[in-house]
Amino acid sequence: MELALFPCQCLVPPVDFFGQNCPSDDEPFAVPDFPWIKLTRNDFDSPFREREPKGLFFEFAVEQSIANSKSYALLINNFYQLESIYVDHFNSKYSPRAVCVGPFCAAIEPQKAQSESLEKPSYIKWLDGMLEQGKSVLYVAFGTQAQVFFEQYKEITIGLEKSEVNFLWVVRRNLAEVNDGFENRVKNKGLVVTEWVDQREVLSHGSVQGFLSHCGWNSVIESICAKVPILAWPMMAEQHLNARMVVEEIKIALRVETCDGSVKGFVKWEGLVKPIRELMEGDKGKEARKKVKEIGEASINAVKEGGSSWQALNELILELTATRQV
């Protein structure tokens, strides 16, 4: 007997179910059974965006799907309240059923709750200083896998500088070593970090009021649990679907603007300044912040004793125990 563990919901029919008649990869099409949801083929990575998917990775994905179909259940790192309509739809049409047992991060206290004798990292001390001054901070991080090329890095530096917001930016060392005077120019407003950071501790810090993120699911769910709104900049894998979810469906995020309107287009500094300011200071940012506080509270309650995820996992354990005894 197997239980398949999924990091996120991602219960979307294969891309070859739809979008076949779109002449452009950026032309929106409606998702079957959910006509209010509009996607483009560019919301998917190759080979799934192709009209005739093929190749070793596609073959691996097919084999993985077949193996998962033989599992007893799919355990999802999410909570039912966030995607109830989609979970119910999936479970009414497909097998094995999806069981929301997360968010996992809400079940564990952040690192800062451990030994008080540990010296705070320099970036936490910097955030403490911002909080003491009553200043809000934008946290910027794109994960460990997404590749930010030098041309795009330069636009980000210009955008952050011109936005005039306070920011903490976690960046790869090879990019940060480019000596163009950026760090010196923003030293009173921004901190560039090349070391590993405890993202949950950063997001839960009182000064952090926004997250410029690639929208990997772990980052999305950690932001929700910390009740921090997102500025979405998806780059690869399922991140474009996650971005549409947080921006268009649950409305806890805004989105950066690409220069050509394509979901995978280049982002110039102008496409960063406007949404950064809107997230941190504008009315849309306030609405997203209010919404994420409500959803964040629900995420925390889901894993508490008696919560939806707690109950779902407990029921599954009892079900499996009974099955073994037969």
Side-chain angles (χ1 to χ4, degrees):
M1 184 179 297
E2 288 187 358
L3 295 174
L5 179 61
F6 279 58
C8 59
Q9 183 62 27
C10 293
L11 302 179
V12 180
V15 68
D16 59 347
F17 279 23
F18 39 69
Q20 292 288 358
N21 299 320
C22 294
S24 167
D25 287 346
D26 281 305
E27 182 176 340
F29 58 84
V31 176
D33 299 319
F34 304 100
W36 67 90
I37 299 178
K38 299 295 191 296
L39 301 176
T40 72
R41 299 189 73 85
N42 268 336
D43 282 310
F44 299 84
D45 271 358
S46 186
F48 306 105
R49 62 186 296 277
E50 309 299 335
R51 286 167 172 77
E52 295 183 7
K54 56 185 178 181
L56 292 177
F57 182 69
F58 180 71
E59 293 173 6
F60 169 76
V62 171
E63 291 178 5
Q64 184 185 47
S65 297
I66 293 173
N68 287 335
S69 70
K70 300 175 182 178
S71 299
Y72 188 82
L74 305 178
L75 303 186
I76 310 298
N77 182 19
N78 205 349
F79 57 107
Y80 178 75
Q81 291 85 344
L82 190 65
E83 297 185 283
S84 58
I85 184 173
Y86 311 111
V87 174
D88 289 343
H89 175 81
F90 182 88
N91 287 343
S92 70
K93 286 197 168 188
Y94 305 101
S95 180
R97 74 184 189 275
V99 182
C100 293
V101 295
F104 299 151
C105 63
I108 305 173
E109 288 297 318
Q111 186 76 18
K112 66 180 181 180
Q114 296 184 7
S115 175
E116 294 295 334
S117 63
L118 294 176
E119 184 177 356
K120 292 182 179 179
S122 58
Y123 56 87
I124 294 297
K125 293 179 180 178
W126 184 84
L127 289 174
D128 287 344
M130 289 288 122
L131 186 60
E132 290 173 1
Q133 299 174 59
K135 296 180 178 179
S136 297
V137 175
L138 174 70
Y139 172 52
V140 184
F142 302 116
T144 57
Q145 297 183 45
Q147 182 72 28
V148 177
F149 295 101
F150 178 73
E151 293 77 8
Q152 188 63 86
Y153 165 80
K154 287 295 295 180
E155 296 296 326
I156 297 173
T157 62
I158 297 171
L160 288 173
E161 186 174 354
K162 288 185 176 293
S163 71
E164 297 183 338
V165 302
N166 305 298
F167 65 88
L168 170 63
W169 183 13
V170 181
V171 66
R172 292 186 180 184
R173 188 177 300 276
N174 64 317
L175 290 176
E177 287 175 349
V178 178
N179 187 13
D180 60 356
F182 169 70
E183 291 187 53
N184 186 56
R185 294 196 303 273
V186 299
K187 62 182 180 180
N188 294 324
K189 282 185 168 291
L191 178 66
V192 178
V193 180
T194 58
E195 62 193 273
W196 181 89
V197 305
D198 186 328
Q199 180 162 285
R200 289 191 61 210
E201 185 175 9
V202 170
L203 286 170
S204 64
H205 197 279
S207 66
V208 175
Q209 297 297 311
F211 183 13
L212 174 52
S213 171
H214 61 308
C215 287
W217 190 250
N218 283 335
S219 289
V220 167
I221 209 72
E222 286 174 0
S223 201
I224 288 174
C225 291
K227 305 174 187 176
V228 174
I230 298 169
L231 179 54
W233 188 349
M235 297 182 179
M236 58 180 288
E238 92 294 350
Q239 295 165 9
H240 290 84
L241 302 180
N242 296 341
R244 287 196 181 275
M245 177 72 177
V246 296
V247 174
E248 300 170 12
E249 287 294 293
I250 58 178
K251 303 184 187 305
I252 61 167
L254 307 182
R255 190 158 182 164
V256 300
E257 301 173 1
T258 59
C259 59
D260 61 359
S262 168
V263 297
K264 291 188 175 180
F266 189 76
V267 178
K268 293 186 176 180
W269 66 263
E270 296 93 337
L272 277 175
V273 172
K274 180 181 175 182
I276 284 176
R277 288 177 176 170
E278 185 62 38
L279 180 74
M280 300 301 288
E281 304 166 355
D283 290 338
K284 291 182 179 179
K286 292 177 182 177
E287 293 172 6
R289 192 164 289 107
K290 179 181 178 181
K291 186 70 174 178
V292 79
K293 285 182 179 179
E294 298 173 2
I295 296 175
E297 195 63 35
S299 74
I300 295 170
N301 290 334
V303 298
K304 290 181 178 179
E305 184 171 351
S308 60
S309 294
W310 186 93
Q311 289 182 340
L313 182 58
N314 193 51
E315 290 170 4
L316 181 61
I317 292 172
L318 292 175
E319 187 178 322
L320 291 171
T321 302
T323 302
R324 280 184 174 275
Q325 293 174 349
V326 174

